[in-house]
Amino acid sequence: MAALACIRNPAKPSETLIFYTTEDKQVGYETAQENKLNEKFGEGEDGGSRGANPGDENSRAPTLGSGKARELPTGGLVRHPSAFVTLIFQNLIKCYGIANSNSRIIEVSPGVKPLQQRITTTHGGLAGCGDGKELGWLYYISNTEIPALKQYTLSIGTTVTMQGPPTPDKDSSLTAWYKPTDSSRGVVYQNNGNTNLKYWEIKKDGSQSNAEIDNTTQASKNTPLCTVVKGDTVYLYFVNSSKSLIRVERTGSNAWTNQKSNSENEWSPNPIDAILSLDGSYIVVRQQYTEGDGWLEYPDRRDL
């Protein structure tokens, strides 16, 4: 499993920054311009594009520098399997990953440095969320005999185990969200013992709850996961056993509903990430290729 994470550039909102792992365990990044995506897919058109490698100017958005995908100077730092988390914290775009040498969770951009507290995970799952200001959290799976979901608070550098027995599968992917409408956040994981998806939700007052997500019993083993927030709605994407991309959604405190499927493209177990368009009319889902650098792009315009 590789790693892929996307975030909108607050200094240039039409630009998405894409962090990914290269074949030699480097950390690469590229930019994608939203107007270029509109030109590529056409207005109102759904469909996947299995484009060329990053930096190919014939099929991809312009990149920073010379037009080739840039690699951050990390010298093969990140591990496979792995995951990246991008969020805005303390006025900076941060990217976090898992170190190749010692399995520590570290910051890989804008600089390579450890967290305040030494935390490690020998598993590939890593997720995070924040308010885009001074609050941020990372989620990972413990190295204990019975896996546990852990939360690391970036602002104070402390770790807690999520209350109760979330019992994630040790090889589960993770995804997390933050909702500005009510300052709640949540994290999704695959259950230990079956392929059902579950979520933990943490309210502004600190109260917590967890439950199984409806319409996810067909999720593939170790499915990739990602979430996008629009207003009071959380959209969750995963891959089912037929290699189709599935979307379910949850508004407010209601149940997860409205399962939708994209079976036109074959989706692999590789990581996925997604970002909401500037006008909120569609979501761009990306998945890193199984072999080589690059990713599939899919604009999801279904009933947003």
Side-chain angles (χ1 to χ4, degrees), residues 29 87 90 102 147 162 209 213 257 273 286-287:
Y29 75 96
L87 51 84
Q90 295 179 339
N102 54 17
M162 305 297 286
S209 61
I213 299 176
T257 59
D273 204 2
R286 293 179 173 91
Q287 180 172 58

Side-chain angles (χ1 to χ4, degrees), residues 48 60 101 111 137 142 175 212 257:
R60 306 212 59 79
S101 60
W137 299 268
S142 70
T175 183
E212 195 163 289
T257 59

Side-chain angles (χ1 to χ4, degrees), residues 2 20-23 53-54 270 288-295:
Y20 62 95
T21 50
T22 63
E23 289 183 295
N53 290 344
N270 282 356
Q288 192 161 21
Y289 290 166
T290 300
E291 297 180 0
D293 300 334
W295 46 81

Side-chain angles (χ1 to χ4, degrees), residues 214-292:
D214 297 331
N215 301 307
T216 63
T217 57
Q218 79 281 35
S220 62
K221 176 72 172 174
N222 303 330
T223 175
L225 300 168
C226 70
T227 46
V228 170
V229 172
K230 179 184 178 182
D232 200 33
T233 300
V234 179
Y235 297 93
L236 166 67
Y237 290 90
F238 64 94
V239 175
N240 70 5
S241 55
S242 300
K243 299 183 179 180
S244 296
L245 182 70
I246 305 298
R247 189 189 87 193
V248 294
E249 61 192 69
R250 180 175 184 249
T251 299
S253 300
N254 298 325
W256 295 85
T257 59
N258 297 330
Q259 182 186 99
K260 298 183 183 298
S261 171
N262 170 256
S263 56
E264 298 173 3
N265 302 289
E266 187 173 289
W267 296 79
S268 76
N270 282 356
I272 57 176
D273 204 2
I275 194 165
L276 184 68
S277 66
L278 273 175
D279 64 3
S281 65
Y282 64 96
I283 296 169
V284 178
V285 184
R286 293 179 173 91
Q287 180 172 58
Q288 192 161 21
Y289 290 166
T290 300
E291 297 180 0

Side-chain angles (χ1 to χ4, degrees), residues 47-280:
S49 172
R50 204 167 181 79
N53 290 344
D56 185 332
E57 295 180 325
N58 293 322
S59 63
R60 306 212 59 79
T63 59
L64 296 176
S66 64
K68 296 182 179 179
R70 297 184 60 184
E71 292 180 358
L72 302 177
T74 55
L77 178 69
V78 291
R79 199 188 69 201
H80 289 284
S82 191
F84 283 152
V85 170
T86 51
L87 51 84
I88 297 173
F89 178 62
Q90 295 179 339
N91 299 316
L92 290 173
I93 295 175
K94 302 274 192 174
C95 182
Y96 301 91
I98 303 171
N100 184 40
S101 60
N102 54 17
S103 297
R104 288 185 68 174
I105 299 173
I106 60 172
E107 180 182 311
V108 300
S109 181
V112 178
K113 62 180 183 180
L115 302 177
Q116 294 181 57
Q117 184 183 77
R118 182 186 179 96
I119 55 175
T120 64
T121 178
T122 56
H123 311 300
L126 180 66
C129 63
D131 68 352
K133 299 173 184 177
E134 299 298 318
L135 298 177
W137 299 268
L138 299 179
Y139 297 93
Y140 63 100
I141 297 172
S142 70
N143 301 321
T144 51
E145 182 176 353
I146 299 177
L149 188 63
K150 308 282 280 189
Q151 175 185 270
Y152 177 83
T153 302
L154 289 166
S155 59
I156 57 177
T158 59
T159 301
V160 297
T161 300
M162 305 297 286
Q163 296 177 11
T167 58
D169 185 280
K170 66 181 180 62
D171 297 318
S172 174
S173 298
L174 300 173
T175 183
W177 76 83
Y178 179 89
K179 281 202 307 182
T181 53
D182 59 7
S183 300
S184 66
R185 62 190 188 274
V187 58
V188 177
Y189 60 94
Q190 195 157 40
N191 196 35
N192 186 24
N194 58 50
T195 61
N196 297 352
L197 300 182
K198 299 185 74 172
Y199 73 100
W200 268 97
E201 186 173 42
I202 305 98
K203 300 290 189 181
K204 184 178 181 179
D205 63 6
S207 60
Q208 301 181 24
S209 61
N210 74 321
E212 195 163 289
I213 299 176
D214 297 331
N215 301 307
T216 63
T217 57
Q218 79 281 35
S220 62
K221 176 72 172 174
N222 303 330
T223 175
L225 300 168
C226 70
T227 46
V228 170
V229 172
K230 179 184 178 182
D232 200 33
T233 300
V234 179
Y235 297 93
L236 166 67
Y237 290 90
F238 64 94
V239 175
N240 70 5
S241 55
S242 300
K243 299 183 179 180
S244 296
L245 182 70
I246 305 298
R247 189 189 87 193
V248 294
E249 61 192 69
R250 180 175 184 249
T251 299
S253 300
N254 298 325
W256 295 85
T257 59
N258 297 330
Q259 182 186 99
K260 298 183 183 298
S261 171
N262 170 256
S263 56
E264 298 173 3
N265 302 289
E266 187 173 289
W267 296 79
S268 76
N270 282 356
I272 57 176
D273 204 2
I275 194 165
L276 184 68
S277 66
L278 273 175
D279 64 3

